Amino acid sequence: MEKVRLIEVKENILSDNDAVAADLRRTLFASETYVINLMASPGAGKTSLLLQTLPRLSDLFSMGVVEADIDSAVDAEKIMKTGVKSVQLRTGGFCHLDASMVKKGLDAIGYEKFDIVFIENVGNLVCPAEFDTGAIADVMILSVPEGDDKPLKYPLMFSKCSVLIVNKTDMAVLSDFDIKKLEKRVRRLNPGIKIFPLSCRTGEGLGSWTGWLEGAVAEFRKGIST
């Protein structure tokens, strides 16, 4: 009897996506546009972080936002009320963005006009970690109510991001969340990751995050010019 042929679909999909992502990243370097892929669980504070970040950097950079959701335009509408240009990607059931989707969003917003474009990925700690979006930087948010054990449950997400934002630190007194334990677990996976504890509600710690972002964009531009 002939053996059943097994086809590794996921491997092929990821390989094709990586090629699109690499091409997109080259395009972003050419246009000097710093694109950030922002990932987190639903409710961790992706949109809240953007609403706090955008006004703090508006005098320094021109910025746009590409929002992604399964079936909603709520977040894009919130961003547009601040005066920042935003477009909404509806994934139609997909729990992540891939490079082709991101390219459509960037083309729609006219990325060449911006110094920074934030991509707010679909709320999920699993699927988004597997797909290279072509962004210059991967940033994730973990909120205090989610617990300090998440690096043990979702190691890939914590391994691939260059920045971890720990949001809702004002709620730490209401829980047994241990920031030192979290940092130890994260650095075991990703020794070089930058960690910024902050609160979008109180504003505490936001200056460290925006300060890092200023420096990251400067380094990005310096790398292009040399």
Side-chain angles (χ1 to χ4, degrees), residues 7-91:
I7 302 173
E8 298 293 343
V9 177
K10 179 180 177 181
E11 182 177 327
N12 292 338
I13 291 173
L14 291 176
S15 177
D16 292 343
N17 179 77
D18 288 348
V20 176
D23 185 60
L24 177 56
R25 195 170 288 111
R26 285 190 290 269
T27 301
L28 295 175
F29 270 95
S31 67
E32 300 186 19
T33 306
Y34 194 84
V35 173
I36 296 173
N37 175 31
L38 186 59
M39 298 175 285
S41 297
K46 296 187 298 298
T47 307
S48 295
L49 180 72
L50 292 176
L51 292 173
Q52 292 291 338
T53 301
L54 295 169
R56 284 172 166 80
L57 296 176
S58 60
D59 291 338
L60 299 174
F61 305 111
S62 58
M63 295 173 287
V65 178
V66 177
E67 292 283 350
D69 217 330
I70 292 174
D71 188 19
S72 168
V74 173
D75 293 335
E77 291 169 357
K78 289 180 181 178
I79 297 297
M80 290 183 69
K81 287 180 180 178
T82 69
V84 174
K85 186 172 182 180
S86 178
V87 298
Q88 183 77 47
L89 290 174
R90 290 184 178 177
T91 65

Side-chain angles (χ1 to χ4, degrees), residues 13-14 17 37 96-99 127-133 160:
I13 291 173
L14 291 176
N17 179 77
N37 175 31
H96 65 274
L97 290 177
D98 61 23
C127 302
E130 296 185 344
F131 287 83
D132 185 350
T133 61
K160 75 167 293 183

